[in-house]
Amino acid sequence: MQGKMFCFQCEQTFGGKGCTKVGVCGKTPEIAAMQDLLIYQLKGISCYATKLLAKGEKIDKSWVSFIENSLFMTLTNVNFDPESHMDMLKRSQVIKEDARKKVAGEEVTAQEALYNLSDTKEQILEDAKKAGVMFDEDLDADIRSVRETIKYGLKGIAAYAHQARFIKYNSDEVDDFYFIALAVMTDDSLNLKDLIKYLVKTGDMSVKVMEVLDKANNEKYDSPTPTKVNVNIKKGPFIVVSGHDLRDLEMLLEQTEGKGINIYTHGEMLPCHGYPKLNKYPHLVGNFGGAWQDQQKQFDGIPGCILMTTNCLMKPRDSYKDRIFSTSVVGWDGIKHISNDENGHKDFSEIINKALELGGFEKDEEVKEILVGFGHKATLSHAETIVNAVKEGKIRHFFLIGGCDGARPGRNYYTEFAQLVPKDCIILTLACGKYRFNKLEFGTVAGLPRLLDIGQCNDAYSAVRIALALADAFKCGINDLPLAMIISWYEQKAVADLLALLSLGVKGIYLGPTLPAFLSPNVLQFLVDTFDIKPISTPEDDLKQILG
C-alpha cells in the first residue's frame, strides 16, 4: 500500500474495502495525503500534551480547538481545499514546537512526535506516505482496526464538540480525551485488550459530547416543540442552509430579517424548525430538497444561494459553483468561504446580495407539510400516554430507524422497513436517513403521530433519553424495552453514535447497509459477541425476527 492513497473511513469506500485511486467522496490522493499527515501531526502534538496532563497541567484551549477543527476537517465530505489543508499543517507544526518546549527534558520517542513538517509541498506529500493507514505492513490487523475505530469515533466527537464550542459550551473531559486517545494510537506497547478499553472510553466521551451539545442547543434555542415544516418552495429570493450548525442559521436569519429573502433548511438542518428561538423568524419558510447525496441534482442551476455550514459537501457542479458558499471547517477549491471574526461573528452580506441578485423562485408551490420537533422533552411530555398505550396493548413496539443516508444502492431497505412497520407501532427517526421516508403518511396511534422526528444525528442522545425514561417507567433495562434500533451509517459521526449506544449498553442493533471496512473480522466478532450487533438482511426477515 505504500505511496498510494488508502482510505476506508466511510460506508461508500470503493468495493467495501478502500479507496486507492481517488475517494468515492471526491477526495483526491493529494488531499488524502495531507489529511493523513495532519492526523499524524495531531498524534505527535498529543504525545507532548499528555505529558502536561500527567503533571496536572491544563492544556491551552486554542490547542484543543485546533485539534478539534483538524479532526473535523478530515471527516468525510467536509473539506476538499488544498490551501486550507496546507494552512492547518503549518499551524500544526507551530503548536507541536510549542508543546515540545513545554515538556523539554522529558523523553518522547514516538515518530509522530519527533517528525518536523517539511518546507515544500512536494516534500510534505512525500512525507505523508509514512502517515498512511496501511504504511506499517507488519502492524497487527486487529490493533490497526481498533486504532482506526477510535480515530473515526474521535472525528465524530470533534464534529459535535465543534458545534457546541461555537456557542460556548464544552466539556473539559472530552477536550483532554482528544490528546489521550491520539497519543494512545502511537503506543506500540498497548495490546488489544488495552486498546479496547480506550474504544469503550471513546463511546463514553461520545455520550458526554452529545449531552453537552443537547444542553447547548436546548438552552440557547429553547427545547424543540412539534412543528409543521413546508417542504415545497415559495416565491422570491432565497438561501438554502445545509449542515448542522444552529448558530450559523441564527446569524443568517438575523442578517436577512426584513430583506425579503426566504431561508430554507436542507439536509441535517431540517430539525432547526423545531427550536422556538429559530422558528420565530417568519422568513424561515421551509425545507428544501432531500438528503445530502441528492445535492448536485437539486442545487443544479437553482436561482438562489446555498450555505454549507458543516458536512456533507459534494463536488459543486459548474451550474451552481458561483452561488454555493462554505463556512466553518468546510471548503472546496474555488468556492467562496465565509470566516468568522474573533468573536465568532460572520458577515453574510456577500451571500445575501447574491441571493437578491439571483431573484429566486418565480411562484409558490402548493404547501406540503411534515412534522419535526420531537426531542426528548417534547416526546416525554407524552410519557404517560405512551406508557398507558403500551400497557393497554395499543402500542406494540418502537422502532428507531435513522442514521446517515448515502448514495449507494441498498438504502431503500430503510424506506421499505418503515413502510412495513405495523400500524400499532411507533417509528422514531433522526439524522438524514429520515429523508428515505419522512414525506410518507404514517397516520397516528394512541393519539400520537406514528412517525416522530427526534432531530439531527447528535440527537441519538434524545433517543437514549426517551428509551431510558421508558425503561424507568416500565421498571426494566433498556434492552428489555419493546424497542428495536435499525441504524444506517455513512461517515464518522455515525461511528461516534454507534460507540455511544454501545457505551450505554444497548444491544441487538441492526446495522447497515454494509459493515465498516475498518473492522477486522476479529474486532467485528468481538462487537457481535459483546453487543449482539446484527448486519441487516431484508426488511421482512428483520421485522419478523424483531416482532417474533
Side-chain angles (χ1 to χ4, degrees), residues 1 4-27 29 32 36 76 133-134 144 148 152 408 489 514-519:
M1 289 300 168
K4 203 159 60 157
M5 166 178 177
F6 185 84
C7 181
F8 59 3
Q9 68 174 1
C10 86
E11 194 271 332
Q12 284 181 191
T13 196
F14 186 73
K17 291 189 171 67
C19 293
T20 54
K21 291 190 172 73
V22 66
V24 172
C25 62
K27 180 162 70 173
D36 287 344
T76 304
V133 173
M134 294 295 182
R144 177 185 286 118
E148 291 304 305
Y152 304 143
R408 207 211 284 255
W489 83 282
T514 59
L515 292 171
F518 51 81
L519 292 181

Side-chain angles (χ1 to χ4, degrees), residues 64-84:
V64 177
S65 201
F66 177 79
I67 294 268
E68 192 166 85
N69 289 347
S70 300
L71 284 166
F72 190 6
M73 183 181 193
T74 66
L75 189 143
T76 304
N77 289 75
V78 175
N79 197 303
F80 301 83
D81 181 26
E83 254 176 66
S84 347

Side-chain angles (χ1 to χ4, degrees), residues 194-480:
D194 300 326
L195 282 171
I196 288 201
K197 282 186 192 141
Y198 286 102
L199 183 63
V200 172
K201 185 85 170 142
T202 308
D204 299 343
M205 290 302 109
S206 187
V207 175
K208 183 89 199 151
V209 79
M210 285 197 252
E211 192 184 330
V212 170
L213 183 52
D214 179 77
K215 184 177 193 280
N217 287 338
N218 279 272
E219 285 181 0
K220 190 154 171 62
Y221 301 109
D222 290 348
S223 294
T225 58
T227 306
K228 286 179 173 169
V229 182
N230 183 15
V231 292
N232 281 342
I233 59 175
K234 287 179 77 73
K235 182 183 174 184
F238 66 93
I239 298 171
V240 172
V241 188
S242 191
H244 305 75
D245 234 308
L246 276 61
R247 177 72 185 120
D248 284 327
L249 177 64
E250 182 186 39
M251 280 191 276
L252 187 67
L253 287 166
E254 287 165 356
Q255 291 177 41
T256 45
E257 213 170 2
K259 295 202 166 144
I261 294 179
N262 291 324
I263 304 295
Y264 298 90
T265 54
H266 172 267
E268 283 267 33
M269 277 290 187
L270 169 61
C272 295
H273 292 270
Y275 289 91
K277 285 194 176 164
L278 295 171
N279 196 34
K280 69 176 186 185
Y281 292 94
H283 61 299
L284 180 63
V285 296
N287 189 69
F288 178 85
W292 67 271
Q293 74 277 4
D294 298 328
Q295 65 186 264
Q296 289 170 319
K297 199 163 65 228
Q298 291 174 344
F299 294 164
D300 199 12
I302 54 171
C305 292
I306 306 118
L307 177 67
M308 299 299 291
T309 67
T310 54
N311 65 321
C312 292
L313 173 66
M314 295 172 81
K315 181 181 182 174
R317 289 184 177 172
D318 290 343
S319 62
Y320 61 88
K321 201 170 181 182
D322 65 328
R323 58 198 69 179
I324 185 166
F325 292 72
S326 65
T327 186
S328 179
V329 294
V330 188
W332 193 288
D333 193 16
I335 71 172
K336 292 242 166 70
H337 187 80
I338 298 166
S339 302
N340 50 292
D341 64 19
E342 60 279 7
N343 304 314
H345 178 76
K346 297 179 184 182
D347 178 1
F348 289 117
S349 50
E350 194 174 352
I351 190 170
I352 291 169
N353 294 336
K354 182 80 180 168
L356 289 168
E357 179 197 315
L358 286 164
F361 295 120
E362 286 178 9
K363 54 178 190 288
D364 290 344
E365 284 180 346
E366 189 185 343
V367 172
K368 176 179 167 53
E369 291 179 322
I370 59 172
L371 200 54
V372 303
F374 288 93
H376 54 91
K377 286 192 180 164
T379 303
L380 292 174
S381 67
H382 302 286
E384 202 181 333
T385 311
I386 294 170
V387 170
N388 291 336
V390 173
K391 284 178 178 167
E392 291 160 18
K394 289 179 187 162
I395 296 176
R396 178 165 36 149
H397 213 89
F398 298 88
F399 291 88
L400 174 70
I401 311 175
C404 309
D405 206 358
R408 207 211 284 255
R411 288 182 178 261
N412 48 356
Y413 167 94
Y414 298 94
T415 316
E416 288 163 21
F417 194 103
Q419 288 173 307
L420 287 172
V421 168
K423 300 274 184 277
D424 57 356
C425 300
I426 280 183
I427 299 170
L428 304 166
T429 191
L430 54 87
C432 61
K434 69 173 84 113
Y435 283 105
R436 291 272 160 184
F437 47 81
N438 68 347
K439 290 172 187 169
L440 305 175
E441 289 298 332
F442 287 97
T444 58
V445 60
L448 293 164
R450 279 188 58 231
L451 180 69
L452 303 179
D453 183 339
I454 53 182
Q456 294 181 333
C457 47
N458 43 284
D459 292 309
Y461 178 75
S462 257
V464 167
R465 285 280 294 266
I466 293 165
L468 289 171
L470 291 176
D472 200 37
F474 291 115
K475 303 198 172 12
C476 68
I478 200 166
N479 295 308
D480 306 315

Side-chain angles (χ1 to χ4, degrees), residues 19-239:
C19 293
T20 54
K21 291 190 172 73
V22 66
V24 172
C25 62
K27 180 162 70 173
T28 61
E30 178 184 86
I31 293 291
M34 290 200 244
Q35 292 190 347
D36 287 344
L37 194 60
L38 184 56
I39 298 284
Y40 192 80
Q41 283 282 73
L42 302 186
K43 289 176 184 173
I45 292 166
S46 300
C47 292
Y48 296 111
T50 46
K51 298 273 184 200
L52 296 173
L53 287 174
K55 292 195 284 192
E57 290 184 33
K58 283 196 166 24
I59 292 190
D60 190 324
K61 290 294 181 194
S62 69
W63 291 10
V64 177
S65 201
F66 177 79
I67 294 268
E68 192 166 85
N69 289 347
S70 300
L71 284 166
F72 190 6
M73 183 181 193
T74 66
L75 189 143
T76 304
N77 289 75
V78 175
N79 197 303
F80 301 83
D81 181 26
E83 254 176 66
S84 347
H85 284 86
M86 252 354 238
D87 177 51
M88 292 300 263
L89 280 166
K90 285 174 182 158
R91 284 170 62 194
S92 72
Q93 186 60 29
V94 173
I95 292 174
K96 186 189 263 186
E97 286 165 16
D98 194 12
R100 221 177 249 159
K101 273 186 207 127
K102 285 193 163 68
V103 296
E106 292 204 41
E107 196 190 12
V108 179
T109 54
Q111 289 304 310
E112 292 90 338
L114 302 175
Y115 169 74
N116 288 312
L117 192 74
S118 299
D119 293 337
T120 67
K121 185 174 177 179
E122 198 178 28
Q123 191 55 48
I124 282 171
L125 293 176
E126 186 56 38
D127 292 350
K129 290 176 185 174
K130 65 166 165 263
V133 173
M134 294 295 182
F135 178 72
D136 180 359
E137 289 169 1
D138 301 325
L139 186 65
D140 177 81
D142 299 334
I143 296 270
R144 177 185 286 118
S145 179
V146 179
R147 282 180 180 177
E148 291 304 305
T149 310
I150 292 170
K151 180 166 95 186
Y152 304 143
L154 282 183
K155 289 186 182 196
I157 288 169
Y160 296 149
H162 169 277
Q163 205 177 329
R165 197 177 310 274
F166 195 38
I167 47 178
K168 310 215 171 354
Y169 285 75
N170 77 295
S171 152
D172 290 340
E173 197 185 352
V174 173
D175 291 355
D176 290 350
F177 185 69
Y178 289 137
F179 299 101
I180 294 163
L182 284 160
V184 155
M185 289 177 225
T186 69
D187 188 347
D188 293 328
S189 72
L190 299 176
N191 63 24
L192 201 54
K193 216 167 163 184
D194 300 326
L195 282 171
I196 288 201
K197 282 186 192 141
Y198 286 102
L199 183 63
V200 172
K201 185 85 170 142
T202 308
D204 299 343
M205 290 302 109
S206 187
V207 175
K208 183 89 199 151
V209 79
M210 285 197 252
E211 192 184 330
V212 170
L213 183 52
D214 179 77
K215 184 177 193 280
N217 287 338
N218 279 272
E219 285 181 0
K220 190 154 171 62
Y221 301 109
D222 290 348
S223 294
T225 58
T227 306
K228 286 179 173 169
V229 182
N230 183 15
V231 292
N232 281 342
I233 59 175
K234 287 179 77 73
K235 182 183 174 184
F238 66 93
I239 298 171

Side-chain angles (χ1 to χ4, degrees), residues 520-533:
S520 65
N522 289 337
V523 173
L524 180 61
Q525 197 55 50
F526 165 78
L527 294 175
V528 170
D529 294 345
T530 315
F531 300 105
D532 194 23
I533 287 180

